[in-house]
Amino acid sequence: MSPKQRISTRVLLICAAIGVVTGLVSALAGALSGPTIIVAPVLYGIVLTAHALPGVLAQAVLREPWVALITHLLAALVASATQPAFIGSYLAAVVIMGGVQEGWAAIGRYRRWSAGWLCTGGAILGVILGLTAGLIIGMKHLPWWGTILSVALTIIGGVVWSLVAVAVGRALGRAGLTRTHRG
């Protein structure tokens, strides 16, 4: 691994800080998943896509390769500690969501970090999640129009959570988190 490819301690510490906070958000989303499926299954995609927050936030703040996967893994560890019943789901989020986010960043050659680019990645993630989990949940619990609405809300959820991550990332940047970071 060349010096340019090494991940600095500073980057790892920022990923850890983001991972802890977003891991708590993921734990809350995990706890809300069951009740949402029972009470309002059409809204499950919005809850599910909350798990995209760690990777997008790390990418918005750090703008480097691998930070989405690292932060997702750390968030999954935190979420698993608070909601151990969902450890498999949290680890799946690392692979699926972190993988899609890293893949999308790689397509942009790790040079595109605009809100639009990150939100497009969120929409792609929403499509993938909507056509898998959204369809499965929708077909079990909803009429055909509800299933379509569920998939659409999952896509919207991916974009909305990406926008939240970008807004928080910009606020952290204004607060000086990335001031001395050389990425």
Side-chain angles (χ1 to χ4, degrees):
M1 185 178 265
S2 73
K4 177 122 175 96
Q5 293 176 326
R6 289 192 185 132
I7 298 171
S8 71
T9 302
R10 178 177 171 78
V11 168
L12 290 174
L13 288 172
I14 293 170
C15 288
I18 293 170
V20 168
V21 173
T22 57
L24 295 173
V25 172
S26 291
L28 179 61
L32 291 173
S33 292
T36 302
I37 291 169
I38 292 167
V39 176
V42 73
L43 299 177
Y44 175 67
I46 294 171
V47 175
L48 177 63
T49 52
H51 296 287
L53 197 57
V56 179
L57 181 53
Q59 288 177 327
V61 169
L62 295 168
R63 299 176 179 214
E64 287 195 20
W66 303 110
V67 296
L69 278 171
I70 292 167
T71 307
H72 268 289
L73 179 59
L74 296 169
L77 294 173
V78 170
S80 296
T82 60
Q83 296 283 335
F86 296 112
I87 190 167
S89 298
Y90 297 138
L91 293 176
V94 173
V95 174
I96 296 167
M97 296 185 188
V100 168
Q101 290 164 344
E102 283 297 334
W104 185 243
I107 288 171
R109 301 185 63 181
Y110 293 105
R111 293 184 183 146
R112 295 179 138 189
W113 304 108
S114 69
W117 184 260
L118 293 171
C119 288
T120 301
I124 292 167
L125 183 60
V127 167
I128 292 167
L129 295 173
L131 293 177
T132 55
L135 279 178
I136 292 166
I137 299 285
M139 288 189 286
K140 284 184 180 178
H141 300 282
L142 299 168
W144 68 268
W145 59 266
T147 301
I148 293 169
L149 180 59
S150 175
V151 171
L153 287 175
T154 305
I155 296 166
I156 292 167
V159 173
V160 167
W161 284 109
S162 295
L163 285 170
V164 168
V166 168
V168 171
R170 286 182 178 164
L172 291 172
R174 285 191 304 273
L177 180 68
T178 60
R179 187 174 303 140
T180 59
H181 176 67
R182 294 179 189 104

